[in-house]
Amino acid sequence: MAEQKIGQLLDTLGVTAELGESDMPTDALVIMKVVTDEGRVAIVIGGSESMDWITQKGLLAGATEITQGGFVDGGQ
């Protein structure tokens, strides 16, 4: 597999995110389920250009908490 930009692919898949008008995204972590030419199912992870491994692990851990209902926004 070769690396490729996936913005248009995400649009085609209908990927959306809840953002406020003044929110400024700084990094993105994308996890995709892929079916290969041979019919195997794989998981592929992509990230924004400036993302380091610490941010990647933090976003993944945070997403896991959110999907399991463990995160409560305390408001600021």
Side-chain angles (χ1 to χ4, degrees):
M1 284 189 231
E3 282 197 23
Q4 54 185 298
K5 295 197 179 272
I6 60 170
Q8 187 174 3
L9 171 62
L10 296 176
D11 290 341
T12 301
L13 290 172
V15 177
T16 62
E18 212 172 293
L19 297 170
E21 273 190 45
S22 61
D23 291 348
M24 185 177 69
T26 60
D27 287 295
L29 179 65
V30 179
I31 303 169
M32 295 185 291
K33 175 184 171 185
V34 176
V35 179
T36 68
D37 289 341
E38 297 85 28
R40 293 186 320 218
V41 175
I43 294 177
V44 177
I45 298 175
S48 49
E49 219 172 20
S50 63
M51 184 178 302
D52 59 15
W53 67 271
I54 295 172
T55 303
Q56 184 183 53
K57 288 185 72 83
L59 287 173
L60 186 56
T64 300
E65 283 291 315
I66 291 169
T67 60
Q68 293 176 347
F71 177 78
V72 176
D73 184 1
Q76 292 183 1

